[in-house]
Amino acid sequence: MPTDVTRREFVKAGVALSGLVVALQLPAYARTAVGALARRGSGATLSTSAFLQIADDGTVTLWLTKSEMGQGVRSSLPLILAEELEVAPEGIRVEQASADPKFGEQFTGGSSSVSGLWQPLRTAAAQAREMLVGAAARTWGVPAADCAAEQGTVVHRGSGRRLSYAALVPIAAVLKVPDSPRLKDRKDFRLLGRSSHRLDTPPKVDGTARYGLDVRLPRMVFACVARCPVFGRPLTGYDAAPARAVPGVLDVVPLEAGEIVAGGFWTYQLPGAVAVVAENSWAAMQGCKALSCRWETDGGVDSASLARIFRDRAAQTGVLGRNDGDAGAALSRAARTVEATYDLPFLAHATMEPMNCTADVRAGACDVYAPTQFPTGAQQVAEALTGFSPAAVRVHTTIMGGGFGRRFEMDWVIDSIRVSRAVGRPVQVVWTREHDMQHDNYRPASHHVLRAGLDHRGRVTAWTHRVVSPSVIAWHAPGSLTPGSDAAAGEALDGAAELAYAIPNLRVDYCAVSTPVPVGWWRSVYASQNCFANEAFFDEVAHASGRDPLELRRELLADSPRHLKVLDLAAEQAGWGGSLPSGRGRGIAIHKFFSDTIVAEVAEVSAGDKGLRVDRVVCAVDCGFAVNPDVITSQMEGGIVYALSAALRGAITLEGGRVRQSNFNDYPVLRMSEMPRVEVHIVESDEDPHGVGEPGVPPLAPAVANAMRMATGRPVRRLPVAG
Amino acid sequence: MAAFSFTVNGARQTVDAPPEMPLLWVLRDLLGMTGTKYGCGIAQCGACTVHLEGAAVRSCSVPVSVAAGKRITTIEGLAPDARGRALQRAWVELDVPQCGYCQSGQLMSAAALLARNPSPSDAEIDAAMDGNICRCGTYQRIRAAIHRAAGEA
């Protein structure tokens, strides 16, 4: 992340959106490499970018700078490369890049992997392809225009002569890299734009895939860390003897409280904590349980007192995110006003694979094996903790059992580096599910106050939305940003300030609130709250004006053709307007995500004796060009299920400063028997790809809320639905 | 500490462990078989599902002393079984996994289901698979893949 970023630049760059979506900076290497002829043994290598190497045995290597957490980068990115290079995607060797400045800033977030690498990867591959074609033309003494690349070879159209890439690499490698290679026309795509199987499935069905928790090193030991159950409170003492008495426990290590700044921007608290080191994970867990720690725990907050703080804060002024016309005057002139408040809880990420990291800190160097979304961040915290130079810190990014934003944090990376340094051995720090649930960086709770004004003909003339919520970016960079800064407001108002409806008087502002609860980026970030408030309130406005919610949306989106297309597709596929039996309801919601992807979802629910059931979700998505439609479909399915778990029952609550939930028994998530029928429809688009990891999430909760309103006659203004 | 013997995927294994040590950690940390996953430790998520004498169990909640003398099958031993292979194929063909972390457990639960009910209905699949959480939301594909494997095996 940039070190001297100013607040204004944050907002301007749209980075606001969580600080994650920094435009992918092409590393200097990629711009300057000129047909690098790297000698390795006797082999020549053709490389047009840090991402791509073609060896003289024909092996194509893609250096993967993105983290695979289920979203499919290990398939989508090779596919893009294969298309432009004219090779088979299955044959590409995918190597996970370790954190290295030559690859630029390495992070995976903001639904930006495909959109950010779309041009760089295609360009690098097209350059290599043109150089290989040029090498063949030179060899045969024919014009390059008469030659074509296909299936890892170059063929001379006139004579049918053919040379493999392997044979051409030594010649191509000394040619000049073309500045502006011709990218393939989309009509010539043979791989992209149609569904193809993911490349990384086989090891995930036979137990051979290695996640962070599966890292095994010689001399490795395991550790669990005890933290104060009340956020940010100090350790006052502990008794190691009961832990040491557990068979397999090797050591008990105190970790001092402190703070580090990494990358010149991020601030990380080092908790006063105690690590129990053992021969195996189980012994470490048992030892940690036996450890008797004394913490300062008085005066911790609880959820009810936090809710009061949020409501009080809503009565004060906020930072403006949008101010069209004069919303105050329009509201006072309105023939009728509608007002509602919405409340959303803190949420845990609850990735399937709990937090863990393996570090091996030695004299003068260290290796970190991290299932991380932010390899550069892991390198920076290792530097800050050890004082080593970046070159001495090697970060190995493993595949991971879900990320959802949680694996952007560094708390668990920091644990492993500190404990390994203390014991002088490779250490795998394992977080129990309980630790993971109670020491997350939670999706911030939020309180929303919305007002709308209608004129005597029922037209919507004014809309105000006040968002009250803690700031994620300010939590992570308190030295650079205040919660009330423009950058914090830009992030927290994501999707609220960009309301797409044509309403002449529109005012959106942000009231930052500080709490001791750690907050973080959760799949779709603030769009997960703001879209709920927007779209649930929109239906209240439609109801007040006696309008069909779809028709009113269509009217106020008349000048937004992409929105209309998505909305209409979802409505049509869902059979909007068709009759439903009593006790059932249908609701629609739409959201344009900050990646530019637009998703509309229609939920059908039934409110019966056994409570609410979501029977069906119809999703329409415009994500620009559909690189691999089936992966897009699965990302929508995943976003819908993730959001549905949260909407139905997800809530992290506090009592005496402690998180009350601890595991899947009290933080229940959707199970198969509750799975609605999900149908995904993709809008055809000529735009470049826009990203699909997160945009399926935001519209789901309001679509369900709006369907519940229809089914029960009662608006839903608070999540989770189950109370 | 005591010595416990059992078979894992047909091979006899003996470990020295506290009797209450869960089978999950015996497999992962003592035998180095990391295909079986830790998710919750309290039999709520199903990521650690293995077969004990052919029945699906949550290995995080089976003490090694209970597993002693028994026949254990893990995800690493699924392929030799025709139904197991059919399930793995269906998982690949329908692109079921996203992150994949829960899928070892999903497959082991599915294999136990097909062993006792070769042609399950949606409701029977839901009932058998309800103990296996997937946070990536692959349930719909899992259900379809089980049907596909049932049709083939």
Side-chain angles (χ1 to χ4, degrees), chain A residues 209-229:
Chain A
R210 292 288 174 127
Y211 297 81
L213 263 183
D214 304 329
V215 169
R216 294 290 181 267
L217 301 171
R219 295 185 63 244
M220 180 174 125
V221 291
F222 298 81
C224 285
V225 174
R227 281 175 163 71
C228 182

Side-chain angles (χ1 to χ4, degrees), chain A residues 504-523:
Chain A
N505 303 288
L506 214 159
R507 184 189 159 94
V508 180
D509 63 6
Y510 170 55
C511 294
V513 55
S514 294
T515 85
V517 184
V519 288
W521 298 284
W522 186 93
R523 196 174 188 174

